[in-house]
């Protein structure tokens, strides 16, 4: 390594050091602790007993773990593509509007992102109520008798996916930035070759923004697998909702939270956390492997 | 040693990352005679005149020391984090049913010494409330409110279908079903009025008792969720819901009510009758005083009134920095004189607002005697609650109260959603609940 390169490396490490120290203290430490605790019977308050792999054996046999994993995976499989497609459509529209309007619409689309997730959960119950919700009222106008989104087991997850679209502003902004970086001459060349709008989108736009698409695929997948706030607020947050908690809304992190803080099974919850970590790693690795075929990086 | 270090690290991390907003939980001054200390607490806010009057009285009792209220209800996560990190609050206000879980894990101080030292008159408290706060013979909380469950009937709805409210009897299941269906109103396939809401799953303990069963043994150690009488009430009550449109429509419609507002389900004629906690009478009196509601006792199949009571309690965490002052504070907070002063304050406020005052139902029977003799002139509704509470029962304290409750609630929800039959659901719940109780009681 050259002296210049070495100096640059040290400088980079210097600038990164606040984050690295923070990671070591607040992330790596608790992560290692939770790994150790996952092999114990730890309830936060009394003595800790080493139980070997018992927590992991238990979670493999726990039907509610299977329910929560299935719910979370189904939600992720629905939520991520819907978010990406809708966000890309919105970003494409934004890329076409004039500069003045673009600022307004960018703000408009981004504002919901800063709405607290807890508020979004409450909003879900109000807007999606089968009897008086705005969504079913709107569907009624076009002659559709909407379902009970917040109660019917088969409609809860699609409802949550729709409410998830409430906060896709960040993805829109990322796509917009990517779309604006696509060289105009590529479109001009395609047009000269007689490519239709769809062909230009498929052959120029998508490959050129594939890096952004891949990035949002990864972060949206991870975020979906860790969905908690809005689901917990809507179905488990208040005493009333806890009473009527629907198993269709038993997401993995909600169950983990219940085990940790409601039932005081912190050791078991730690094992659940590590299983989730493993699931996320596997899914991410698969996505990264697949991306090699589809993602175009300008620097390559 | 390593495990202990890990526990400390996790406790600290929890405090830092999860409950950063509730700093100052631990006290800073020694709990010495005469020294002014600041008591910290969790789970209690001074949001109304009842709370404020009692809070001020308790503070006056420990002057020059004082306590600082913490807005918001009890947060298990914050409490656990505080205890685990060695910074427990001085006081904690939580549901009595939760006491057993924390007591068995030694997160709460038994109050025997406190009662002796401060000469607290335990005879002033209602027995059912004390029983709910007692685990393995040890008292872990001083009772606060006493929430009764009674029936509330919408006079307008009953008149509309020519039904007499006085004939509405939860002990006559056939008659109850008929009345519920008559009171139910639908339009275009959608519910316009629920005839009778049995409040399942949350009132299962009440229904079980009304059918001569209990969900758990008297010592709180043996689950009895698969008792045929428990299964029978689930079959019946879920059947009631199905007769009124099915769970999905039923709940969805109920979620649309303006429950705490002026357009509540009684004022809007969206409900015929339901079983409910007594506090709701005050909600109706404040928000829709012109709406006529008949209150009746919930009756068992033997025709006798049944009243399941619950409520909160004041407890002192283990290692409370100022346990002595905390004991004095909770003594005053739950004392009959303090409740009476609070009721007078509420009566004055209601009088100024020109609204009716229906009293407060406390865990302190001496206070109730005075409140409903000198401060409140009980109307028939209040009389019914007062009579019902004489037969009040509570569930015993349990070492795994939360898991026990989750087991039967999830089971009933599965039945309501049509995923399982009652017997199958309760067999599953029985297994889960007993395993949780056994584990908690074994101390592991």
């Amino acid at each position: 390594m050259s002296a210049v390169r070495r100096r640059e490396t040290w400088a980079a490490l210097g600038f990164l050091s606040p984050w690295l120290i923070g990671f070591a203290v607040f992330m790596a430490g608790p992560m290692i602790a939770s790994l150790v605790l996952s092999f114990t019977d730890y309830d936060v308050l009394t003595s800790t007993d080493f139980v070997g792999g018992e927590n992991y054996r238990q979670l493999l046999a726990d039907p509610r773990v299977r329910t929560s994993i299935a719910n979370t995976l189904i939600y992720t499989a629905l939520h991520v593509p819907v978010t990406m497609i809708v966000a890309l459509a919105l970003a494409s529209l934004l890329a076409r509007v004039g500069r003045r309007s673009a600022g307004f619409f960018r703000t408009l689309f981004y504002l919901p992102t800063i709405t607290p997730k807890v508020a979004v959960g409450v909003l879900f119950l109000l807007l999606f109520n089968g009897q008086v919700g705005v969504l079913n009222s709107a569907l009624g106008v076009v002659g559709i008798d909407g379902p009970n989104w917040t109660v019917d087991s088969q409609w809860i997850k699609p409802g949550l996916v729709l409410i998830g679209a409430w906060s896709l502003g960040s993805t829109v902004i990322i796509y917009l930035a990517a779309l604006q970086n696509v060289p105009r001459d590529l479109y001009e060349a395609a047009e000269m070759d007689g490519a239709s709008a769809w062909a230009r989108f498929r052959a120029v736009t998508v490959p050129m923004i594939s890096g952004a698409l891949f990035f949002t695929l990864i972060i949206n997948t991870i975020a979906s697998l860790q969905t908690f706030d809005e689901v917990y607020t809507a179905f488990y947050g208040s005493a009333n909702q806890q009473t009527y908690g629907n198993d269709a809304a038993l997401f993995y992190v909600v169950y983990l939270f219940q085990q940790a803080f409601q039932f005081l099974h912190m050791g078991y919850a730690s094992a659940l956390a590590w299983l989730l970590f493993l699931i996320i790693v596997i899914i991410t690795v698969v996505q990264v492997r697949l991306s090699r075929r589809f993602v175009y990086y300008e620097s390559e | 040693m390593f495990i202990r270090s890990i526990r400390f690290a996790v406790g600290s991390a929890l405090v830092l990352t999860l409950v950063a907003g509730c700093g100052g939980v631990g006290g800073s001054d020694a709990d010495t005679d005469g020294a002014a200390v600041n008591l910290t607490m969790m789970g209690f806010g001074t949001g109304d005149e009842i709370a404020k009057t009692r809070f001020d009285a308790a503070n006056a009792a420990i002057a020059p020391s004082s306590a600082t209220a913490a807005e918001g209800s009890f947060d298990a996560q914050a409490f656990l984090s505080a205890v685990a990190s060695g910074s427990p609050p001085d006081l904690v206000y939580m549901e009595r049913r939760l006491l057993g879980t924390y007591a068995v894990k030694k997160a709460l101080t038994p109050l025997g010494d406190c009662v002796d030292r401060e000469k607290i008159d335990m005879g002033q408290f209602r027995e059912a409330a004390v029983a709910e706060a007692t685990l393995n013979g040890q008292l872990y909380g001083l009772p606060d409110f006493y929430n009764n469950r009674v029936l509330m009937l919408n006079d307008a709805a009953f008149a509309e279908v020519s039904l007499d409210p006085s004939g509405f009897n939860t002990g006559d299941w056939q008659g109850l079903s008929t009345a519920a269906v008559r009171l139910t109103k639908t339009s275009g396939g959608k519910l316009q009025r629920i005839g009778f809401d049995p409040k399942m799953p949350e009132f299962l303990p009440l229904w079980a008792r009304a059918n001569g069963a209990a969900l758990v043994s008297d010592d709180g150690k043996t689950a009895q969720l698969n008792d045929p009488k428990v299964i029978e009430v689930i079959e019946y009550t879920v059947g009631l819901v199905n007769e009124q449109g099915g769970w999905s429509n039923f709940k969805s419609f109920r979620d649309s009510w303006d429950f705490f507002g002026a357009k509540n389900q009684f004022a809007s004629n969206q409900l015929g009758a339901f079983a409910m906690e007594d506090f709701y009478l005050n909600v109706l009196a404040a928000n829709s005083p012109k709406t006529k509601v008949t209150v009746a006792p919930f009756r068992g199949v033997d025709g006798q009134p049944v009243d399941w009571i619950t409520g909160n309690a004041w407890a002192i965490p283990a290692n409370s920095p100022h346990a002595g002052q905390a004991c004095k504070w909770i003594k005053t907070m739950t004392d009959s004189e303090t409740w009476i002063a609070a009721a007078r304050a509420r009566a004055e406020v209601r009088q100024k607002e020109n609204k009716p005052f229906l009293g407060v139902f406390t865990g302190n029977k001496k206070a109730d005697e005075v409140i409903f003799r000198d401060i409140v002139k009980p109307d028939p509704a209040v009389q019914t609650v007062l009579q019902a509470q004489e037969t009040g029962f509570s569930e015993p304290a349990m070492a795994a109260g939360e898991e026990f409750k989750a087991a039967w609630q999830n089971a009933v929800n599965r039945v309501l959603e049509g995923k399982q039959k009652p017997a199958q659901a309760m067999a599953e719940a029985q297994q889960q609940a007993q395993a949780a109780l056994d584990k908690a009681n074994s101390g592991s």
Side-chain angles (χ1 to χ4, degrees), chain A residues 232-293:
Chain A
Y232 189 79
T233 306
F235 293 96
Y236 300 92
S238 69
N240 187 40
Q241 297 304 336
Q242 274 178 15
T243 307
Y244 302 110
N246 191 311
D247 276 3
L250 184 73
F251 280 31
Y252 194 84
V253 180
V254 170
Y255 187 56
L256 190 158
F257 181 87
Q258 285 182 330
Q259 288 293 338
F261 294 106
Q262 202 177 333
F263 306 151
L264 312 187
H265 298 157
M266 197 63 80
Y268 188 53
S270 298
L272 286 169
W274 276 93
L275 177 64
L276 178 62
F277 178 73
L278 194 66
I279 290 170
I280 290 174
V281 167
I282 291 170
I283 291 175
T284 307
V285 166
V286 170
Q287 288 174 332
V288 170
R289 287 270 167 89
L290 290 176
S291 76
R292 289 176 187 159
R293 295 184 191 177

Side-chain angles (χ1 to χ4, degrees), chain A residues 131 147-148 151-153, chain B residues 241 245-253 416:
Chain A
Q131 296 274 331
N148 288 320
V151 186
D152 286 348
S153 298
Chain B
V241 171
W247 176 239
S248 178
N249 293 328
F250 192 93
K251 182 171 182 331
S252 192
F253 178 57
L416 284 165

